[in-house]
Amino acid sequence: MEQWREHYQRRMVTAEEAAKVVASGNRVAITAGREPLAIGLALAARLGELKGVELFVPTPTFDFGWFDAGWEDSFNLSVGYVFPRGVATEAMRERRCDYVVGGLRLWWEFPQTREVDVLLAEVSPPDSHGFCSFGASLYDKRSWARGARVVLAEVNDRLIRTRGDNFIHVSGIDYFVQHPRTGREPGQVDQAGRPLGEAPPHARPIAELVSTLVQDGDTVQIGTGGTAESLVRAGLLHSRQDIGWHSEVTPGGIIRLVREGVITGKKKTIDRGKAVATAIGGGSREDMDFVNDNPLFELRDVEYTHDPRVISSLDNLVAINNALAVDLTGQVAAESIGSQVYSGGGGLLAFATGAALSRGGRLVVTLPATYQGGKVSTIVPCFLTGTVVTVPRTLADIVVTE
């Protein structure tokens, strides 16, 4: 039997045994994207037993309980992104968890600048060479795994494999746990994990306007957020040809456009013929099966996808992103209104910078003209005190509302 197979079988443990690795006072990080369900629940079950664990959850999606009041003695929480109406929203509002601000190319500096004692991740079963995939979400999981003292991986046989940087050898993982079968098949969801419904009413007129800014052969990036993510489903790219794709995430509708030959990448100046991102989702089971081991798709490390030097090397890069508000000087707020945090900066600044430096590049900021039933404008003379400026006015380009 090959040596890696022995390592894999010998290190397969229960979720409870894996969670026992964590000691009071440890720094624990969960990788971005999907959280490992079984290990997370086992760790949460140690409430009261553990004290002062520094727990970093970059993209909180599952409700393990630790965002509730009363968990503070066991888990000191930090998050890297706040989803609207997500599991961490109330904890952020009540100042029971911290927000970690990342750099230009990396969302989260926590693992890179501070030693992580235990890393929790989710992976596919190993292939015939002993390599596991991180599934539909890569980000900087490989660098986290290299830097962590102990790596705990939950093995989920439903995770897809992709080309690109999306792999880790079993020798880089300390313990493995089988993912529980929940009976839930992945459906069409947005980047926050919410089921995809009809595009909001303001999305279609915005999509029609933005479509005039995208030409055949352009390379497109679309960010997270209710408006930007819905534009493809509202018809943004349906009449275009030979579109390229280089993005952080992959909103609903993009995989279908690759299948239909709208997104081909034939005119990209780098990664020609490849749809490149660091996370892919928003698709049906059929869509994800199409992505699985398909050479048309590559998941790359976030250090690559978000590097403005890489982004700017793509001619005619159209970066389409979401905002909460824009002031009359061109400053873009995508994270907070006043001191109230609603979202995260993500890759917006990196793609705004890359688009500004791209030959023929454009930054398109999209948002509804009003909120609260039309009572409050999103285009304002100046921001409320405490509002985080995600993109400075020096990078202001095109702003589109309905």
Side-chain angles (χ1 to χ4, degrees), residues 196-211:
L196 285 177
E198 291 295 321
H202 65 269
R204 192 163 299 280
I206 291 178
E208 291 175 358
L209 292 167
V210 176
S211 68

Side-chain angles (χ1 to χ4, degrees), residues 296-313:
L296 294 177
F297 296 88
E298 288 190 354
L299 289 197
R300 305 293 298 274
D301 291 321
V302 70
E303 294 94 332
Y304 178 82
T305 58
H306 286 51
D307 190 332
R309 294 168 297 188
V310 173
I311 298 167
S312 64
S313 66

Side-chain angles (χ1 to χ4, degrees), residues 104 319 321-327 329-335 344-356 363-365 383 387-399:
L104 181 62
N321 287 274
N322 214 73
L324 297 172
V326 178
D327 77 6
T329 73
Q331 295 184 120
V332 178
E335 300 168 66
L348 176 50
L349 181 57
F351 281 95
T353 304
L363 168 64
V364 182
V365 173
F383 291 143
T387 299
V388 175
V389 175
T390 309
V391 177
R393 61 190 181 186
T394 48
L395 292 175
D397 194 0
I398 303 165
V399 178

